[in-house]
Structures are given as structure tokens and as C-alpha cells.
Amino acid sequence: MTPITIRPATLIDIPTLELFEQGVISAERPVADNLRSGDITYYDLAALITSDECQLLVAETSSKLIASGYIKVKPSPAHHKYTNHGYIGFIYVEPEFRGQGISQQVIKALFDWAKQQGITEVLLDVYNDNAPAIKAYEKLGFKKSLVQMRVEV
């Protein structure tokens, strides 16, 4: 296998990252019945790339982007143990590269950045029915913490 490089995303990467974003949305539509139909976006990619409070990473091999993920420093609620926490999102791996531990490499690199920022707690959201993602996150030590429930009235 060709070596994989993890690096900070640049503004030049945005067209590919927009495709990754649609891949995330496509994967979540079957387990998220509250998503609006039609074209949607989740992220302000330029803001994630240029923010001092965020690190958006990409994985590439042979000059091809194959994965992404970000971590953003956020204030924690006043009643929490830590003043700030890292929030991870936009974890995406191109289908032909899944199952090779690439998302774990990206997340470990995000952890390293978080530690450099003095962050010791990292949170993320994952849909309950997204078993493969939950399994991958649990391999990194994540544990279920709070269940969000919803109802349409």
C-alpha cells in the first residue's frame, strides 16, 4: 500500500472536501430522518480551515485526498469538569479506503493537535444506527455518554 500522509487542509482542498461532505450526508440520510431533502451542507469549510480554534485534517495517498476530519475547541458547560473540550466532526474516508484504519489515523492526529491546545476531553456525535462508526470510535476509547432523543409533534 502507498504511504498515507495526514496534513492540515488548505483552501485549495475545498472542492474535494465538498465531495466528502456530500459523502457524509449520503451516509447519514438513511439513519437521520430529520434531514431536509434536496441539497444540504453541514460545514463552512473555509472557516474550519482558517480558524485558530479548529484543525481540519486530510489524509492523502499518491496526491489524492482520501479522508478528512476536524476538531474544534469549544467551551464546555460551566458544570463540566473541563473548561473547554474538543469536538470532532467531518470524519470521512473514501469507500475504497475504508477498513484500513485511516479514520483512526486522522482522529489520533486530531487528538495530538487537541493536546497541544491543552484539551483533555474530546466529544463527537454519531447517529445511533451508524454501527460501523460507533465501532470505530469505540476502538479509540470513546464511550457513549449522553443519548439525544427526538420526536416530531
Side-chain angles (χ1 to χ4, degrees):
M1 185 168 122
T2 308
I4 294 170
T5 303
I6 309 289
R7 65 165 176 82
T10 67
L11 296 174
I12 294 168
D13 297 323
I14 287 179
T16 302
L17 292 171
E18 289 173 337
L19 295 173
F20 287 4
E21 178 181 30
Q22 293 309 306
V24 170
I25 292 165
S26 292
E28 291 181 349
R29 280 196 190 276
V31 295
D33 63 357
N34 62 340
L35 291 181
R36 186 170 38 87
S37 61
D39 293 337
I40 62 172
T41 60
Y42 286 167
Y43 312 111
D44 181 342
L45 295 168
L48 292 173
I49 291 168
T50 59
S51 172
D52 291 336
E53 300 295 313
C54 183
Q55 181 73 14
L56 174 54
L57 298 178
V58 292
E60 66 181 347
T61 186
S62 302
S63 300
K64 177 185 177 185
L65 296 187
I66 60 169
S68 64
Y70 78 79
I71 189 164
K72 186 173 188 174
V73 177
K74 292 186 166 194
S76 298
H79 59 276
H80 279 204
K81 185 176 181 179
Y82 303 106
T83 305
N84 294 313
H85 64 274
Y87 178 82
I88 285 183
F90 196 19
I91 301 300
Y92 178 79
V93 178
E94 286 278 51
E96 64 267 28
F97 293 94
R98 292 179 186 162
Q100 299 177 34
I102 297 168
S103 66
Q104 292 191 357
Q105 291 178 50
V106 170
I107 293 170
K108 287 177 182 177
L110 295 172
F111 287 169
D112 290 342
W113 184 86
K115 290 175 192 173
Q116 293 170 5
Q117 310 309 306
I119 298 298
T120 54
E121 180 180 45
V122 176
L123 307 173
L124 59 77
D125 292 316
V126 59
Y127 284 100
N128 190 56
D129 291 335
N130 191 345
I134 291 170
K135 183 177 177 183
Y137 297 139
E138 287 175 340
K139 285 181 183 177
L140 288 161
F142 284 93
K143 295 180 176 138
K144 292 180 181 176
S145 173
L146 179 67
V147 175
Q148 181 184 55
M149 299 177 73
R150 65 177 288 277
V151 65
E152 292 181 20
V153 294

